[in-house]
Amino acid sequence: MSIQGHKDFNYEKARLKYTKRYIEYFIKTIISEKEVRKESIKQAMVEFDISDSSQRYTSILLNNELIKLGDQDYNGLVRSRHKPYFGRVDFREENAAVLNRFYIGKSALAKRKENKPIIIDWRSPLANIYYDGRLGAVSYESPSGTVQGELFLKRQYTINEGQLEDFIDIDITTTDVFLQSSLQAHADDRLKDIASTIQSEQNKVIRADASRPLIVQGVAGSGKTTIALHRIAYLMYTYEDKFIPENFLILAPNKLFINYISEVLPELGVERVRQLTFADFVKDLIGTTYSLVNPNEKIQSLLEGKIDDTERERLRHIANYKGSLDFKNLIDNYVKDLEEQLVPTTDFMLEEHVLYGKEAVKNLLLVEYSFLPLYRRFDLLKKALANKLSNAKKLLTKKIEKSYKQQIEKTREMIEDPEERRSSVVYLIDEREGKLARIKKVSKTLVAKYVGKIAKRDLLGYYQDVVSNNEVFIKYSGKPLDGKFITSFCQHSAGVLQRKKLEYEDLAALAYMEHLIIGAGTTPVIQHVVIDEAQDYSLFQFYMLRQVLHTRLFTILGDLSQGIHAYRAIDNWQQVIESVFNKDDCQFLTLEQSYRTTVEIMSLANEVIKSLGDKSLTIARPVIRYGDKPKVLKTKKETDIIAMIKEVVQHGENNVYKSFAVVCKSLMECARIHSKLQKMGMKATLITGEESAYAAGVVILPSYLTKGLEFDVVLIINSKDRYTTDEMNSKLLYVAMTRALHKLYIGYTDGTIPLLESIDRGLFEEYAE
């Protein structure tokens, strides 16, 4: 039935018209009030008088704050003026006579005089029944306690450019045709607008307890990224008295990913949130002049066959150790010994007087100031010594003056000869002044000289000592290690540092050493950390972030099935819960529903991940959206691969698809395919990992850079580098396959694709132009 025939159609059409008119009225009111307040500020500045400064200053501050609040309302309403709401609930509170209709949108709107809501914010407590409630008895948590009542209607709307196109009454949102419609959208449209289709399991993540750390295992396509961003928006809305945007830190896997999500937070009414890669975060923290080896260089070497199996295993072992808490413990032991070594071994003295004994100094540095980074303790020691010196100098000066006064008086009494008496008094006065001058002079530099004897080094000097010296490594490792491994570890690290380089795996350790020894003076106040693609983090990275940022409030999201950097990353989430957080306090939620791709594509991807035989990995449950079966096409030669790409893109464009990804296993293969496409006159963008943005259309990128991204059509090319059946290859192929929203093709030349062949030979077809 057409919505025009629905009994509520005229009412809903009129309600939308009224809402739009009120939004326009409200926008004009905000603009008008802003001008009035700006004029009031201007007038207050002109009339500012010192005798009346308090009142004028308060007026200026108040008007500035009101302008800021008005701007927030204005921005939200402008963003939502053409789509003011997406849902409605009819709810009657328990023991209430009136049934209320609440319209739900991205921004709240209320009648000013009556303070009656026209639209409620999707983050409000009441809106929770829209996402989680079933028709009938429901409840939600409000600031004043649990509110119970009955839900009579839950309705969703399709509104485009201010026009009501459709609405439907629903019960369980996961079966909602609006969700199906959303999933049919193109890649460049989908990331911004999910508030209207948030599902129950996603809603639980968004609204999870803000006072406890949260870890989310979410399958590919479960919406982890958008959920994380909506969680930030929810927390800022719900706890606006506790959080400001600058108190949030988003750690993203790469700059391309940051650009990809850059428009989402403003769309949600949240701006000024810090967004960094882990490497940039550490660089800002320690300010090193060393450059970073391309983080993708190692995985490229592992994939492109540039090194043999022995070297590959050696690099894996080194990277794995640098990401472990064993390495953290080694650094702890080293720094603890360093503290002892740097304690001064002499008393702090002024002349022959001991002001601070060496044991007292040791107690200050190792006990009383032990809560501080080592170098910060030296700063406090300077203050303590300076205070002691100041007091001692005053006492010693008085003592000297008193002693010499007595001597001078005694000389005057004892010596009768005037000339001899005068000469003796002058001698004593000169001696006294000399002593006082010497004490004054020595005191000026006494503290600096004493503390200056402490042999401090820069951070990289200490780190180089730890990672490139076999004896140091053995001394502080805390547990027996294979001698060949230690030699290999130290030689490898020394070689990298000699080139004034750092590897990605060095960053957690360096930041941790900075925290223990030097102390980051410009560390921003971060209250809540959001980590996306967290399956590629090591235990040491998580531990370091918790210590350096002095917060336990983390939202950590990832998918172990996409852990392509397993050689340096975590094996399971339980490690993080037990080693980094309090296991009884940490929240753990799973997202098993995949919304990105079709049943056919997800089913094949699931078979790839199941081939690993790891029962701890979460298998995705695809939402019921059917499409074409993935095609695995064999070509006779690589030139046919190029023809296939052109054909797939042309076919996709005819079906109004906008984004296409040609995914090769390695960057080397990407470059080769890109070059051939250019010679054929086809426009495509090569993604190497250095980019901060990319345009829509056709992109060519290696498999390990596809995480977190999505495209209408994905074509996986396997012309030279085969996907074998080991863990890294399985996860890389899984990641690449799950980037596709609508269509998936896999093209290869000669031989076979061992991983897919082991799953289903029936997938393979011959490609014919």
Side-chain angles (χ1 to χ4, degrees):
M1 182 180 72
S2 168
I3 61 166
Q4 281 84 354
H6 195 285
K7 62 182 179 62
D8 288 344
F9 173 71
N10 289 332
Y11 171 82
E12 293 291 5
K13 188 176 180 181
R15 180 58 163 73
L16 177 58
K17 183 177 180 181
Y18 164 76
T19 303
K20 288 162 51 183
R21 287 176 61 185
Y22 196 85
I23 288 174
E24 296 304 323
Y25 158 75
F26 207 92
I27 288 173
K28 289 178 182 178
T29 301
I30 292 171
I31 294 171
S32 176
E33 289 177 347
K34 182 176 181 178
E35 292 304 315
V36 171
R37 290 186 179 116
K38 286 170 69 175
E39 189 59 37
S40 295
I41 292 172
K42 183 179 178 181
Q43 191 64 28
M45 295 295 291
V46 171
E47 298 173 358
F48 194 85
D49 190 307
I50 296 297
S51 62
D52 190 30
S53 59
S54 178
Q55 185 177 349
R56 296 288 182 190
Y57 187 63
T58 302
S59 173
I60 291 169
L61 288 179
L62 177 60
N63 277 294
N64 263 323
E65 192 60 33
L66 289 172
I67 287 174
K68 286 181 183 178
L69 292 173
D71 285 345
Q72 290 176 8
D73 291 340
Y74 173 84
N75 292 335
L77 290 172
V78 167
R79 281 192 294 266
S80 63
R81 71 204 305 180
H82 297 305
K83 190 175 182 178
Y85 50 80
F86 53 77
R88 164 186 157 187
V89 290
D90 289 5
F91 174 71
R92 183 167 63 202
E93 194 171 327
E94 190 177 48
N95 299 323
V98 180
L99 174 69
N100 288 302
R101 294 171 178 167
F102 296 101
Y103 287 78
I104 303 167
K106 288 184 180 179
S107 298
L109 178 66
K111 278 191 174 181
R112 279 195 166 183
K113 292 180 181 179
E114 303 98 313
N115 198 28
K116 181 179 178 181
I118 297 173
I119 305 170
I120 64 171
D121 194 291
W122 69 272
R123 298 166 290 185
S124 66
L126 174 58
N128 198 37
I129 64 175
Y130 172 80
Y131 296 112
D132 283 352
R134 298 286 303 274
L135 298 185
V138 293
S139 64
Y140 66 90
E141 297 300 321
S142 76
S144 58
T146 302
V147 178
Q148 295 183 331
E150 187 171 358
L151 179 61
F152 288 87
L153 181 139
K154 187 157 62 170
R155 179 171 287 175
Q156 277 189 301
Y157 303 88
T158 299
I159 300 171
N160 283 315
E161 296 301 320
Q163 299 301 311
L164 180 62
E165 294 183 353
D166 197 5
F167 62 82
I168 188 170
D169 296 339
I170 59 174
D171 188 359
I172 306 173
T173 55
T174 50
T175 60
D176 177 19
V177 295
F178 278 71
L179 173 62
Q180 296 290 334
S181 175
S182 173
L183 296 175
Q184 293 290 345
H186 301 302
D188 58 348
D189 298 327
R190 295 179 70 249
L191 195 60
K192 295 180 186 177
D193 189 15
I194 72 157
S196 60
T197 56
I198 291 170
Q199 303 301 292
S200 181
E201 66 172 3
Q202 297 173 324
N203 190 46
K204 285 182 174 62
V205 173
I206 292 170
R207 296 175 188 256
D209 189 345
S211 65
R212 299 163 60 200
L214 171 65
I215 295 178
V216 180
Q217 160 59 37
V219 300
S222 58
K224 293 184 295 294
T225 300
T226 46
I227 290 167
L229 303 180
H230 280 69
R231 176 163 169 77
I232 293 174
Y234 167 77
L235 293 175
M236 289 184 57
Y237 172 87
T238 308
Y239 306 99
E240 60 181 346
D241 57 329
K242 296 181 181 179
F243 295 127
I244 60 173
E246 291 85 354
N247 293 153
F248 284 88
L249 170 65
I250 299 174
L251 290 175
N254 51 56
K255 292 178 181 178
L256 190 66
F257 191 84
I258 289 174
N259 178 267
Y260 189 60
I261 67 173
S262 62
E263 295 182 15
V264 179
L265 286 173
E267 284 287 326
L268 295 171
V270 177
E271 301 184 64
R272 307 192 312 278
V273 170
R274 289 169 59 84
Q275 302 171 53
L276 293 169
T277 64
F278 179 80
D280 284 340
F281 167 78
V282 174
K283 184 178 180 181
D284 289 351
L285 197 70
I286 66 178
T288 179
T289 56
Y290 278 38
S291 60
L292 186 67
V293 175
N294 187 332
N296 296 316
E297 190 174 293
K298 186 165 293 182
I299 196 168
Q300 287 172 20
S301 297
L302 295 174
L303 290 175
E304 292 172 0
K306 295 179 179 178
I307 52 179
D308 60 28
D309 291 344
T310 302
E311 178 66 5
R312 183 181 294 111
E313 191 57 31
R314 185 181 79 90
L315 293 177
R316 285 175 183 269
H317 198 179
I318 292 170
N320 183 265
Y321 187 81
K322 285 187 177 180
S324 71
L325 292 188
D326 286 340
F327 191 38
K328 190 277 298 186
N329 292 334
L330 185 154
I331 290 171
D332 282 336
N333 294 336
Y334 174 83
V335 173
K336 186 176 181 180
D337 201 21
L338 180 65
E339 292 173 351
E340 297 275 357
Q341 293 173 25
L342 295 187
V343 171
T345 57
T346 59
D347 299 328
F348 179 63
M349 300 178 67
L350 178 61
E351 299 287 282
E352 69 277 11
H353 304 282
V354 176
L355 304 188
Y356 248 119
K358 58 186 178 183
E359 290 301 318
V361 171
K362 182 176 182 179
N363 184 66
L364 281 179
L365 290 174
L366 301 186
V367 180
E368 293 191 33
Y369 300 156
S370 61
F371 64 94
L372 287 170
L374 183 55
Y375 283 11
R376 295 280 184 87
R377 300 180 211 176
F378 296 145
D379 294 336
L380 280 189
L381 177 63
K382 283 182 182 179
K383 292 181 180 179
L385 296 180
N387 289 335
K388 193 76 171 180
L389 175 61
S390 178
N391 293 330
K393 187 171 68 171
K394 290 176 183 177
L395 292 173
L396 186 57
T397 298
K398 287 181 180 180
K399 184 178 179 181
I400 290 171
E401 288 176 340
K402 182 178 179 180
S403 173
Y404 276 92
K405 182 179 180 181
Q406 291 173 345
Q407 291 181 60
I408 289 170
E409 288 176 353
K410 189 175 180 180
T411 299
R412 284 172 174 163
E413 292 175 1
M414 297 290 295
I415 301 177
E416 294 182 0
D417 181 69
E419 185 58 35
E420 184 182 350
R421 184 172 64 240
R422 187 192 68 79
S423 177
S424 297
V425 169
V426 169
Y427 175 80
L428 289 171
I429 291 172
D430 288 344
E431 189 176 59
R432 179 193 66 190
E433 295 304 312
K435 278 191 174 184
L436 292 174
R438 187 169 64 254
I439 287 171
K440 184 177 181 181
K441 181 180 179 181
V442 169
S443 298
K444 287 181 179 179
T445 59
L446 192 65
V447 172
K449 285 183 177 180
Y450 184 80
V451 177
K453 292 178 182 178
I454 299 171
K456 295 193 294 185
R457 298 163 66 188
D458 66 12
L459 178 66
L460 286 169
Y462 290 125
Y463 188 67
Q464 187 164 12
D465 196 26
V466 168
V467 299
S468 62
N469 187 315
N470 286 40
E471 292 181 3
V472 172
F473 196 95
I474 293 169
K475 181 179 180 180
Y476 298 111
S477 62
K479 57 172 61 177
L481 290 169
D482 179 71
K484 288 183 179 179
F485 169 71
I486 293 172
T487 299
S488 171
F489 182 98
C490 292
Q491 287 179 348
H492 175 82
S493 299
V496 174
L497 291 170
Q498 283 170 5
R499 292 186 286 127
K500 300 291 184 182
K501 296 278 188 178
L502 292 169
E503 291 185 307
Y504 182 85
E505 293 84 6
D506 293 313
L507 298 181
L510 272 167
Y512 186 60
M513 288 189 80
E514 165 93 6
H515 169 69
L516 294 179
I517 298 173
I518 299 170
T522 57
T523 306
V525 177
I526 298 297
Q527 292 177 280
H528 200 108
V529 184
V530 176
I531 305 178
D532 204 357
E533 300 294 345
Q535 74 277 350
D536 291 328
Y537 278 55
S538 68
L539 272 182
F540 198 175
Q541 284 178 279
F542 288 121
Y543 185 90
M544 179 278 292
L545 288 167
R546 167 114 198 246
Q547 298 302 313
V548 168
L549 294 173
H550 304 288
T551 183
R552 56 192 284 278
L553 301 183
F554 281 74
T555 295
I556 296 170
L557 307 99
D559 179 17
L560 295 175
S561 294
Q562 298 182 64
I564 61 175
H565 298 283
Y567 58 89
R568 60 167 165 81
I570 57 169
D571 296 320
N572 59 75
W573 297 117
Q574 199 62 32
Q575 294 175 304
V576 183
I577 293 171
E578 294 180 358
S579 302
V580 180
F581 302 105
N582 183 334
K583 66 178 181 179
D584 297 324
D585 186 42
C586 189
Q587 305 170 90
F588 181 77
L589 296 173
T590 58
L591 297 171
E592 297 181 359
Q593 189 81 57
S594 177
Y595 304 96
R596 176 182 294 133
T597 193
T598 63
V599 170
E600 291 80 7
I601 295 172
M602 198 70 240
S603 296
L604 179 58
N606 279 341
E607 290 303 315
V608 169
I609 212 65
K610 285 178 184 177
S611 69
L612 290 173
D614 186 347
K615 293 183 179 180
S616 68
L617 297 177
T618 305
I619 302 301
R621 292 186 291 107
V623 72
I624 305 302
R625 179 168 72 91
Y626 294 101
D628 293 338
K629 185 178 178 180
K631 292 184 178 181
V632 183
L633 303 171
K634 179 181 179 180
T635 62
K636 294 179 180 178
K637 51 188 182 299
E638 196 169 64
T639 53
D640 293 335
I641 289 282
I642 306 304
M644 182 194 298
I645 294 172
K646 294 184 71 174
E647 182 181 329
V648 166
V649 171
Q650 185 176 4
H651 181 265
E653 289 175 340
N654 291 339
N655 285 277
V656 204
Y657 293 136
K658 299 179 181 179
S659 61
F660 303 83
V662 177
V663 181
C664 302
K665 184 176 171 184
S666 67
L667 183 60
M668 182 188 297
E669 192 170 31
C670 285
R672 188 174 65 252
I673 296 296
H674 181 249
S675 176
K676 291 179 181 295
L677 283 176
Q678 282 186 316
K679 290 178 180 177
M680 296 282 287
M682 184 174 176
K683 187 177 180 182
T685 303
L686 176 63
I687 303 296
T688 65
E690 300 298 319
E691 300 81 5
S692 59
Y694 72 91
V698 181
V699 298
I700 303 175
L701 70 170
S703 52
Y704 51 83
L705 290 181
T706 62
K707 282 187 310 169
L709 305 179
E710 55 187 33
F711 307 89
D712 292 325
V713 180
V714 170
L715 176 54
I716 298 173
I717 301 301
N718 209 211
S719 62
K720 297 291 184 184
D721 303 323
R722 297 290 182 234
Y723 285 98
T724 57
T725 56
D726 62 36
E727 181 183 9
M728 178 181 285
N729 277 272
S730 298
K731 290 184 175 180
L732 280 170
L733 183 57
Y734 175 79
V735 170
M737 293 170 74
T738 55
R739 301 308 97 195
L741 273 73
H742 306 295
K743 302 278 188 181
L744 174 65
Y745 301 87
I746 302 173
Y748 72 106
T749 57
D750 303 323
T752 63
I753 303 177
L755 183 51
L756 291 179
E757 187 179 38
S758 68
I759 295 170
D760 185 359
R761 276 297 302 168
L763 290 167
F764 293 76
E765 302 176 17
E766 294 288 334
Y767 171 73
E769 288 190 67

